[in-house]
Amino acid sequence: MTPDKLSLSKDKIRVLLLEGINDSAVTLMRAAGYTNLTRLPKALDREALQEALQGVHMVGIRSRTQLDAAAFEAADRLLAVGCFSVGTNQVDLAAARDRGIPVFNAPFSNTRSVAELTIGEIVMLLRRIVPRSVGAHAGQWDKSAVGSLEVRGKTLGIVGYGNIGTQLSTLAEAMGMRVLFYDHTDKLRHGNTEPTASLHALLAQSDVVSLHVPETESTANMIGEAEIRAMKPGAFLINNARGTVVDLDALAAALRDGHLKGAAVDVFPVEPGSNAEAFVSPLQGIENVILTPHIGGSTEEAQERIGAEVARKLVDYSDIGSTAGAVNFPQVQLPARPTGTRFIHVQRNLPGMLGRLNDVFSRGQVNIAAQFYQTDGEVGYVVLETDATDADAEALLTEIRAIPGTIRARLLYERR
Ligand SMILES: NC(=O)c1ccc[n+]([C@@H]2O[C@H](COP(=O)([O-])OP(=O)(O)OC[C@H]3O[C@@H](n4cnc5c(N)ncnc54)[C@H](O)[C@@H]3O)[C@@H](O)[C@H]2O)c1
Ligand SMILES: O=C(O)CC[C@@H](O)C(=O)O
C-alpha cells in the first residue's frame, strides 16, 4: 500500500518541550517520526517564551510555564499544547480554543504519587518527625511521646473528592482513619467515607484537612483566615493542590500562635521557575511544617507515565486529528487506521457551518466517505475523510479556509 503523505512532513513539525519533561515523551515522539524536537530543563519567562514559541507547532509544558493570550498570539504556528500535568490552570484555555488549538493533559498519571505523599505527610506531621529529625541531625535527643499521635481513629477531611481525593480516602481508611469529604458536586462515596454539607462542617470536625481542588476562581483563597480559624484547635493542614487555594500569611499566623499544630505545603502562589532560583515563603522556619518544592506528582513512575501519555495524545492529534482527552475542545476519537484524504476544520459553533463545509466538497464533486463532528458551546470540530485527489486537495483547503466562521483548517494527509 502506498504510504500517506502528510501535508506537513514530520521532520518539519517543530516540537518544544519545557520544564524537564521525561525521556518517555521524547522516545515516543521520536519513534513516531517527530525528530525536530527541542527540550529545555526549565520554564521560560514571558518574553523568552514568546520568542521561543515562534515557528513551534507543538509545545509541552508542566505547571510553571504560563501560556497566556500573549503567548498564543506570538505562537504563529502552534497546533497543539501538551500539559504534562493534571492541572491546566497555567494555560489560557479559552485563548487556545479560540485559535483552534487543543490542549491535552494527563488527568491521572500522577494521582497515586500525590495520594502516597499525602499519607506519608499525615504520619510525619502527627508524629512531629521533621522537627525531631532536624534536631537529631543537630545532635539533640528528643525522646518523648508528648505531642506524637497515631493516625488511627483520627478524622481526615478531604476537600475536593476527585481522582486524588478518592485515592487518598482509600489509603487513609486502610490505615484506620475516619474520612469526610467536601466537594461542590455530588460524588460517589468510596468505602465508609461521608460527605459534609459544607466546607465549614468539614473543617470543624477534621483532625487533618487535605486539599485536592483545582486552581479556579471558586477555589482562590478558599482557605483563608476564617476557614483556618474554623479548623479544630490542634489540627493539621495539607495543601498538595494549588498555591492559590490557601492564604499563606493566615496559615503562618495560625501555626505560630499554636491554633494549628502543623502543615505540609507543596504548592505556592509564586514558585521558582527553575531549581536555580531562590524560594521564599512565610512558612519558612516554622516548626512542624513540611515544605516541598511542588513535587507531589514527581515520582519516576508518574513522570514516565505522564511523558508517554501526553506525547501519545500530541502524536495522535498531529497524525490523525484525534482530540480525545483535550480539555478545551470538542472531543473526536478517530480510527487508528485512517483512509482517504483527511481534512480538519475548526469552526465557530454557528448555524449552517457544517452545510457550508459540505457544499465545498459537493461543488468540487468530491465524495465525503466519513465525517466526524463534535461541538461545544463555542467551537465545532470536524474531521472529513474524502476521496479528494492530490490535485484537488490544496484547492479544496483554500475554499474551506474562506468559509466565514472558520478558525482553522488543515489538510492532514493525502492518500496517494
Ligand atoms: N502537587 C502536585 O504535584 C499535584 C499533582 C497533581 C495534581 N495536583 C493538583 O491537584 C488538583 C486535584 O487533582 P485531581 O486529579 O484530584 O483532580 P480532579 O479534577 O479529579 O478532582 C478535583 C475535585 O475538586 C472538586 N472541586 C472543584 N472545585 C471545587 C470547589 N470550589 N469546591 C469543592 N470542590 C471542588 C471537583 O468537583 C473534583 O471532584 C489538580 O487540579 C492539580 O491542581 C497537584
Ligand atoms: O510537574 C509539575 O510541574 C507539577 C504538576 C502537578 O501539579 C499536576 O498538576 O499534575
Side-chain angles (χ1 to χ4, degrees):
M1 187 180 292
T2 321
D4 298 328
K5 185 181 121 199
L6 281 168
S7 67
L8 183 60
S9 68
K10 289 191 186 184
D11 60 345
K12 296 223 165 46
I13 295 184
R14 283 182 57 198
V15 181
L16 175 64
L17 299 179
L18 299 171
E19 302 187 64
I21 286 167
N22 194 267
D23 286 349
S24 59
V26 177
T27 305
L28 191 142
M29 294 195 95
R30 288 214 171 112
Y34 294 88
T35 51
N36 193 345
L37 210 144
T38 306
R39 184 157 58 146
L40 299 180
K42 57 172 191 164
L44 297 174
D45 65 26
R46 215 162 179 255
E47 269 178 32
L49 179 65
Q50 290 177 15
E51 200 174 312
L53 285 172
Q54 285 164 29
V56 162
H57 297 93
M58 295 196 272
V59 64
I61 61 171
R62 290 174 63 181
S63 58
R64 183 63 176 80
T65 303
Q66 300 298 311
L67 284 177
D68 56 12
F72 285 110
E73 200 59 51
D76 51 348
R77 297 282 159 86
L78 199 60
L79 293 175
V81 172
C83 294
F84 289 72
S85 57
V86 174
T88 52
N89 52 283
Q90 67 279 39
V91 180
D92 185 335
L93 297 176
R97 185 197 53 211
D98 289 348
R99 286 166 178 76
I101 300 170
V103 177
F104 300 94
N105 73 337
F108 28 71
S109 287
N110 64 16
T111 302
R112 179 69 185 200
S113 301
V114 181
E116 285 187 9
L117 175 68
T118 307
I119 286 290
E121 288 172 339
I122 294 171
V123 176
M124 293 288 167
L125 289 172
L126 268 65
R127 296 293 291 272
R128 299 183 58 257
I129 293 298
V130 171
R132 291 205 278 187
S133 171
V134 169
H137 277 281
Q140 291 161 19
W141 191 248
D142 178 15
K143 182 172 166 59
S144 154
V146 177
S148 288
L149 306 168
E150 287 185 349
V151 301
R152 183 173 49 173
K154 303 295 181 298
T155 299
L156 169 64
I158 298 176
V159 181
Y161 201 59
N163 292 324
I164 297 172
T166 52
Q167 178 79 186
L168 172 62
S169 79
T170 303
L171 298 176
E173 282 202 326
M175 292 170 61
M177 296 189 85
R178 171 186 174 230
V179 179
L180 304 175
F181 68 86
Y182 170 70
D183 201 289
H184 67 168
T185 58
D186 272 349
K187 291 283 172 176
L188 171 70
R189 294 166 52 174
H190 291 243
N192 297 314
T193 59
E194 290 169 41
T196 58
S198 68
L199 174 60
H200 276 254
L202 176 139
L203 298 172
Q205 298 178 66
S206 302
D207 299 300
V208 182
V209 173
S210 192
L211 308 174
H212 300 286
V213 286
E215 177 179 319
T216 63
E217 277 178 20
S218 75
T219 63
N221 273 318
M222 190 180 197
I223 307 295
E225 167 85 22
E227 288 71 27
I228 288 169
R229 295 292 159 184
M231 288 173 67
K232 281 169 75 170
F236 300 84
L237 180 68
I238 298 179
N239 184 14
N240 290 334
R242 279 294 179 265
T244 48
V245 180
V246 178
D247 177 341
L248 287 190
D249 292 319
L251 175 60
L255 288 161
R256 286 190 196 282
D257 68 25
H259 175 62
L260 297 188
K261 284 273 181 283
V265 181
D266 184 48
V267 285
F268 302 86
V270 179
E271 295 178 1
S274 74
N275 288 354
E277 283 176 36
F279 163 65
V280 180
S281 168
L283 299 176
Q284 283 164 331
I286 304 178
E287 203 191 64
N288 209 22
V289 173
I290 300 172
L291 298 180
T292 46
H294 201 152
I295 40 99
S298 294
T299 59
E300 291 183 10
E301 294 93 334
Q303 292 307 312
E304 197 178 329
R305 284 192 294 265
I306 291 171
E309 180 182 342
V310 181
R312 164 55 52 208
K313 289 176 180 172
L314 290 173
V315 165
D316 282 352
Y317 178 64
S318 180
D319 277 2
I320 61 170
S322 173
T323 53
V327 295
N328 65 334
F329 225 68
Q331 301 210 18
V332 170
Q333 177 93 53
L334 292 156
R337 188 82 189 99
T339 56
T341 293
R342 184 170 278 189
F343 293 87
I344 281 179
H345 191 233
V346 187
Q347 50 182 239
R348 304 246 166 262
N349 188 7
L350 302 170
M353 285 302 294
L354 206 52
R356 286 194 279 279
L357 182 61
N358 288 337
D359 283 349
V360 170
F361 290 91
S362 116
R363 277 198 302 276
Q365 299 205 318
V366 171
N367 186 43
I368 297 175
Q371 192 169 57
F372 305 88
Y373 179 46
Q374 204 53 256
T375 59
D376 64 17
E378 305 291 327
V379 165
Y381 182 63
V382 192
V383 180
L384 291 159
E385 212 100 278
T386 73
D387 295 343
T389 61
D390 271 18
D392 297 333
E394 285 298 336
L396 285 164
L397 186 63
T398 307
E399 269 201 71
I400 293 171
R401 284 186 171 143
I403 298 172
T406 296
I407 297 175
R408 176 179 290 239
R410 191 155 69 97
L411 172 59
L412 201 56
Y413 56 81
E414 303 154 64
R415 170 138 295 186
R416 294 182 289 187

